[in-house]
Amino acid sequence: MPTDQPAPIPDFLYGTAWKEDRSAALTEMALRAGFRGIDTANQRRHYFEAGVGEGLQAAYRAGIVTRAGLFLQTKFTYRRGQDHRLPYDPAARLSVQVAQSLASSLEHLATDHVDSLVLHGPSSNIEWTDADAEVWEAMQRERDAGRTRLLGVSNVSLGHLEGMAAVHSEMPAFVQNRCFARLGWDREIRAFCNQRTILYQGFSLLTANPELLQHPSHIGLAQQLNATPAQVVFSFARAIGVLPLTGTSSTQHMKQDLASVDLTLTPEIVRAIESMAG
Ligand SMILES: NC(=O)c1ccc[n+]([C@@H]2O[C@H](COP(=O)([O-])OP(=O)(O)OC[C@H]3O[C@@H](n4cnc5c(N)ncnc54)[C@H](OP(=O)(O)O)[C@@H]3O)[C@@H](O)[C@H]2O)c1
């Protein structure tokens, strides 16, 4: 058996946004709890990627996991999504910025490759632009050079994806979007992804959907299943083909979130949750 097979895509991603000086400790804690997928970004404004790297090192030293057993995902963020702490020369061409940002991520994470590099968000809210095309082609070159295994895009609309499909022969392996129940859990984008075998990653599954989590029917359903309302949302997400992210800072929630993998919902329950919103 070959021993250098890449780690499979895990069924939960631990998100490291907004952790600041707790990034290292929380990343290590998440790995100890059992997470094997880490989502970060080279965007100091919202993520402390070097801190995430320290957490990985601590987990490696403690023998919790090896690099080969982990799925590491980072992002390239345009200048407009950054503050003054840039991981690239803002005067350089976008393709150079992509290379510099990823080189800096690899340094932060002390690895020679990530498993996924994601475009944090397109340059325009309306359409897929020439700038995005330049970035996407640069990301493909990084992948071809072995510095990332897979590529993704985030915060995209159907228009972005259609624009992308019109000008590129290669589509992403991942789409990472905020998932609102009232929008049918991003139904249109998920349908596009299904048709093209793109794996949809969903974030803000809890924070974007307080009305569902507080809905008496949802609470009642969770009680019937002997689960928490949050666990039911994560399990529901998987049932509709969404790879969920959680950024919890609580050890108890980490365990509960991971345990949702073992909670299987019947098709009737999935339909009931879908009909509660969206
Ligand atoms: N691509 C993008 O633009 C983008 C944008 C936003 C986020 N993300 C990624 O997605 C990750 C997750 O972000 P998020 O927006 O989903 O929010 P989040 O940071 O995961 O926040 C989730 C909230 O839900 C709570 N929670 C988690 N598990 C729970 C449980 N089992 N029971 C009750 N409450 C629970 C957490 O509180 P406790 O801490 O107390 O558990 C927290 O307040 C981020 O860290 C980041 O990696 C990406």
Side-chain angles (χ1 to χ4, degrees):
M1 284 284 283
T3 53
D4 57 354
Q5 285 295 314
I9 298 161
D11 38 29
F12 226 130
L13 297 181
Y14 182 71
T16 60
W18 314 300
K19 309 274 184 283
E20 288 300 322
D21 57 4
R22 297 182 72 203
S23 299
L26 287 169
T27 300
E28 184 186 349
M29 196 194 279
L31 296 172
R32 281 185 189 274
F35 285 92
R36 289 297 175 263
I38 299 288
D39 176 81
T40 186
N42 209 339
Q43 181 204 32
R44 188 60 191 85
R45 182 178 172 189
H46 293 306
Y47 296 78
F48 182 23
E49 195 179 51
V52 172
E54 282 170 32
L56 297 178
Q57 292 305 317
Y60 299 153
R61 278 196 303 273
I64 296 159
V65 66
T66 62
R67 168 67 189 92
L70 273 184
F71 177 89
L72 294 181
Q73 174 167 278
T74 190
K75 309 187 192 81
F76 167 77
T77 312
Y78 279 115
R79 174 75 188 85
R80 73 167 187 166
Q82 303 271 8
D83 61 17
H84 60 284
R85 295 166 291 180
L86 294 170
Y88 46 70
D89 172 4
R93 286 188 62 88
L94 285 168
S95 54
V96 175
Q97 291 182 22
V98 169
Q100 290 178 346
S101 180
L102 182 57
S104 156
S105 290
L106 297 181
E107 207 175 303
H108 289 155
L109 302 171
T111 184
D112 61 358
H113 74 285
V114 287
D115 297 280
S116 167
L117 173 66
V118 171
L119 170 58
H120 211 152
S123 63
S124 147
N125 293 334
I126 300 158
E127 57 185 0
W128 186 256
T129 64
D130 290 347
D132 299 324
E134 182 181 342
V135 165
W136 183 240
E137 280 160 20
M139 288 170 66
Q140 289 175 59
R141 285 194 293 277
E142 292 302 311
R143 190 269 322 279
D144 294 346
R147 289 186 280 272
T148 180
R149 274 206 296 131
L150 299 162
L151 298 173
V153 293
S154 182
N155 297 299
V156 286
S157 65
L158 194 57
H160 287 127
L161 289 171
E162 285 170 351
M164 201 180 177
V167 292
H168 301 288
S169 55
E170 181 177 339
M171 291 300 280
F174 304 112
V175 160
Q176 185 185 98
N177 266 8
R178 181 167 277 121
C179 215
F180 288 98
R182 66 174 179 275
L183 299 179
W185 306 87
D186 219 5
R187 188 184 286 122
E188 280 188 336
I189 309 277
R190 288 191 294 109
F192 181 98
C193 289
N194 275 340
Q195 282 160 11
R196 305 207 175 226
T197 54
I198 297 169
L199 181 57
Y200 182 102
Q201 302 180 4
F203 63 85
S204 301
L205 286 158
L206 304 183
T207 50
N209 302 307
E211 68 288 350
L212 176 92
L213 284 156
Q214 288 154 21
H215 197 293
S217 318
H218 187 79
I219 293 170
L221 178 63
Q223 278 165 353
Q224 266 176 44
L225 294 166
N226 203 16
T228 70
Q231 285 178 315
V232 175
V233 167
F234 290 130
S235 182
F236 165 76
R238 271 187 216 93
I240 60 168
V242 171
L243 169 60
L245 284 104
T246 177
T248 179
S249 298
S250 135
T251 330
Q252 193 200 5
H253 288 164
M254 284 181 186
K255 293 201 174 115
Q256 287 176 350
D257 292 358
L258 284 169
S260 72
V261 172
D262 299 322
L263 177 67
T264 308
L265 306 181
T266 62
E268 292 73 35
I269 292 177
V270 173
R271 275 196 294 277
I273 296 173
E274 271 182 313
S275 70
M276 276 184 228

